[in-house]
Amino acid sequence: MRSTASYIRVLAFLGIAYILLEVTIASGDQSAFIAQPLTWLALGMVLLFVIALEISVEALRSILFRSLKPDAQERYLSAQKTRKENQFKWIKNIYLKLLDSKPVHEEEEIILDHNYDGIKELDNNLPPWWVYGFYATIIFGVIYLARFHMFNDYTQTEEYETEVAEAKIAIEEYKKTAKDLVDINTVTLLTEASDINAGKGIFTTNCVACHKADGGGGIGPNLTDEYWILGGGIKNVFRTISEGGRDGKGMVAWKQTLKPAEMAQVASYVITLGGTTPAEPKEAQGEIWVDPNAPTEEIPETVSDSTAVVTNE
């Protein structure tokens, strides 16, 4: 009972730690499990509780043992010894069956007649696990031969191409949800409030020195008008943040400082500044940027009176 209770308590502690880890990862921030002090405090308190419980149980067991009479103590110790001997007896029995070997005191029955300078040889059977494994390989070989060489199932080349295609699809699906894998080709405009707020925080920390807090521009250009030096839109803004501005006089590249997800967030925040009214806007720089992918309004066709055809019914 003592060892079983200990196992249960240890498993309970590990289970609580696993649940906390899963909840933290599900929240979207995998690093929070390590960075959150309250998480470690909770785990520490649980661990201290388990240790205190173990010490209390051991102390209580020691007190009860000393209160027993000598003959009762001997019976208890004998019972404990018997329990330990039989605790994993079933495992030992399975192990011996897998080996199919004779005990040492019965080896006289399987000693062979020949003798090599006093060295004798035992006629042990092959271990059943080895024999059954050998039979399994024969069965596998026959099935493989029939399937791929007689009935011409798929080839290794076809299998490889199928797995590569499946892997590419899996990678593309993973990229859709893995923000840190975003790049110039996969970046999209983020609209969630959490992303915009995160982008604003990054902008406030790193960008206000050149663009001002309202995006009106200082050393850097005005981010609120429709003029762009290196192109507007989420992809161009992301590229500019990642790779930097014009050589020698533009913004530095931030790809070594910011993560791809962070660059996508700050780029999305910069897009939201368009059309706002800063306190002291800087004069326009660059050219008016028109999104080539933006839908265009169709002009309805007009029919002149001279060409109209009127039908009377």
Side-chain angles (χ1 to χ4, degrees):
M1 289 296 294
R2 176 185 173 187
S3 60
T4 303
S6 299
Y7 296 153
I8 293 174
R9 285 189 286 270
V10 171
L11 290 175
F13 172 73
L14 294 177
I16 293 173
Y18 176 77
I19 292 173
L20 289 173
L21 177 61
E22 284 295 320
V23 170
T24 306
I25 292 177
S27 67
D29 186 4
Q30 299 185 16
S31 63
F33 181 77
I34 298 176
Q36 180 57 254
L38 292 178
T39 302
W40 290 107
L41 179 62
L43 290 177
M45 292 180 63
V46 173
L47 181 59
L48 288 176
F49 174 76
V50 172
I51 295 174
L53 185 61
E54 287 289 334
I55 294 175
S56 300
V57 171
E58 185 62 29
L60 180 61
R61 184 179 288 107
S62 178
I63 293 173
L64 293 175
F65 178 78
R66 287 196 296 268
S67 65
L68 298 175
K69 295 180 181 181
D71 57 339
Q73 291 181 356
E74 291 181 2
R75 289 196 300 271
Y76 175 79
L77 293 175
S78 178
Q80 287 291 96
K81 182 179 179 181
T82 303
R83 182 186 63 81
K84 290 181 179 180
E85 291 176 351
N86 297 330
Q87 187 174 9
F88 299 106
K89 188 175 181 179
W90 62 276
I91 297 179
K92 296 176 182 177
N93 292 335
I94 294 175
Y95 176 75
L96 292 175
K97 289 181 179 179
L98 289 175
L99 292 180
D100 192 23
S101 59
K102 289 282 186 180
V104 175
H105 60 276
E106 298 179 7
E107 287 183 348
E108 290 291 339
E109 301 175 6
I110 56 174
I111 293 179
L112 297 176
D113 295 335
H114 50 260
N115 188 317
Y116 301 98
D117 295 331
I119 299 175
K120 298 181 180 180
E121 183 180 1
L122 298 178
D123 188 19
N124 279 314
N125 296 326
L126 287 172
W129 65 266
W130 190 95
V131 175
Y132 296 144
F134 180 68
Y135 292 156
T137 59
I138 295 175
I139 296 173
F140 175 83
V142 171
I143 296 174
Y144 187 91
L145 176 66
R147 179 179 180 182
F148 294 101
H149 295 277
M150 296 176 64
F151 298 101
N152 296 322
D153 205 343
Y154 61 86
T155 64
Q156 290 183 339
T157 301
E158 293 172 343
E159 182 181 12
Y160 169 77
E161 292 174 350
T162 300
E163 291 183 357
V164 169
E166 292 175 352
K168 288 181 178 179
I169 295 174
I171 290 172
E172 293 302 321
E173 290 296 324
Y174 176 70
K175 284 182 177 180
K176 292 179 181 179
T177 57
K179 292 184 177 181
D180 283 337
L181 292 181
V182 66
D183 56 22
I184 184 59
N185 297 314
T186 60
V187 64
T188 57
L189 181 65
L190 304 177
T191 57
E192 294 290 337
S194 58
D195 290 319
I196 300 301
N197 290 332
K200 182 178 180 180
I202 298 169
F203 183 88
T204 302
T205 303
N206 301 287
C207 309
V208 295
C210 296
H211 297 282
K212 293 187 178 181
D214 57 7
I219 300 174
N222 184 353
L223 301 176
T224 65
D225 58 25
E226 56 186 352
Y227 290 84
W228 294 88
I229 298 174
L230 297 175
I234 187 63
K235 291 186 181 295
N236 289 322
V237 176
F238 181 90
R239 182 193 293 111
T240 304
I241 295 171
S242 175
E243 305 300 328
R246 295 165 293 173
D247 293 337
K249 56 180 178 179
M251 182 178 65
V252 299
W254 287 92
K255 60 184 177 181
Q256 302 299 333
T257 305
L258 299 177
K259 296 178 180 179
E262 294 173 332
M263 291 190 291
Q265 289 171 336
V266 71
S268 298
Y269 173 71
V270 168
I271 298 296
T272 65
L273 295 176
T276 60
T277 305
E280 298 177 354
K282 188 177 180 180
E283 66 277 5
Q285 294 176 275
E287 299 177 354
I288 295 179
W289 183 81
V290 179
D291 187 355
N293 298 319
T296 57
E297 296 183 0
E298 294 184 359
I299 301 176
E301 296 181 357
T302 58
V303 181
S304 62
D305 294 338
S306 59
T307 57
V309 178
V310 180
T311 59
N312 296 323
E313 296 183 358

